[in-house]
Amino acid sequence: MSSNVGLSTPRGSGTSGYVQRNLAHLKPRDYGKPYSTDLESLKHRQRQPDKEILEHDRKRDVEVKVFELRDRLEDEGVDEEEIEAQTDALRKKLLKESERGGGPGKKGLKMHQVHELAEAKIKQDDRFRSALGIRKDYVEGAIGRSKRRS
């Protein structure tokens, strides 16, 4: 044996005397935790929808419906001035409806429509907050903090 490693003699030990390192040994880790321990970062933050993207999607939906009407009227052989008049009237009507908030409900949204989902979630949270009588300026845990300080 070399360097005083292992058995001085393998006789009577039931082994060959061959020394291996322990591959199952876990070394203690020196670095920090893989997650944040800051309580402020663990709080839920509502995703805010991008207003420009929402407005773009609303206008795009209007233009899709206008184009479908234009295509149908062209297939029917309607005069070009009549097509323009009908499409302009439909566009104005749909834009007025979309400004009033006549968009699709949360059930009509798909998973890739993250801004629409965020807007619908904010509206749902506001309705729920008002149903429970919770103020908008309520801070979670504020009552407990004021009692601890005094």
Side-chain angles (χ1 to χ4, degrees), residues 29 38 46 58 63 72-73 78 82 90 108 112 118 132-133 148:
R29 297 181 179 182
D38 182 22
Q46 182 72 45
R58 285 187 190 108
E63 289 302 319
R72 187 171 38 101
L73 292 175
V78 179
E82 182 64 27
L90 179 66
H112 67 275
L132 293 177
R148 276 186 251 140

Side-chain angles (χ1 to χ4, degrees), residues 42 47 94 103 133 135:
L42 297 176
R47 168 179 274 173
L94 292 174
R135 297 187 321 258

Side-chain angles (χ1 to χ4, degrees), residues 14-146:
T15 66
S16 67
Y18 183 74
V19 178
Q20 303 184 48
R21 68 184 182 126
N22 184 359
L23 297 175
H25 177 69
L26 295 175
K27 295 178 183 173
R29 297 181 179 182
D30 298 354
Y31 50 87
K33 298 176 183 169
Y35 52 88
S36 175
T37 57
D38 182 22
L39 292 177
E40 199 62 34
S41 67
L42 297 176
K43 284 187 177 178
H44 172 71
R45 287 185 296 256
Q46 182 72 45
R47 168 179 274 173
Q48 296 298 318
D50 189 349
K51 301 293 183 194
E52 291 178 3
I53 292 176
L54 291 172
E55 185 62 27
H56 173 78
D57 287 343
R58 285 187 190 108
K59 287 180 180 178
R60 184 178 183 279
D61 291 339
V62 167
E63 289 302 319
V64 166
K65 291 176 184 173
V66 167
F67 183 76
E68 288 171 354
L69 175 67
R70 173 179 283 281
D71 192 38
R72 187 171 38 101
L73 292 175
E74 285 176 352
D75 288 344
E76 292 173 359
V78 179
D79 208 20
E80 186 65 33
E81 293 91 25
E82 182 64 27
I83 292 174
E84 286 296 325
Q86 287 186 18
T87 55
D88 286 341
L90 179 66
R91 183 178 291 118
K92 288 177 185 174
K93 178 185 147 209
L94 292 174
L95 284 174
K96 191 178 288 186
E97 285 178 6
S98 71
E99 288 172 0
R100 268 191 277 143
K106 187 176 180 189
K107 291 182 176 43
L109 298 176
K110 302 200 174 25
M111 287 305 293
H112 67 275
Q113 296 173 310
V114 291
H115 296 279
E116 289 88 347
L117 286 170
E119 183 181 43
K121 181 66 176 166
I122 289 172
K123 288 179 182 176
Q124 179 188 21
D125 289 348
D126 287 341
R127 284 194 310 270
F128 191 63
R129 186 181 299 117
S130 66
L132 293 177
I134 300 172
R135 297 187 321 258
K136 279 213 178 249
D137 61 344
Y138 174 77
V139 177
E140 185 179 338
I143 295 173
R145 278 189 235 136
S146 63

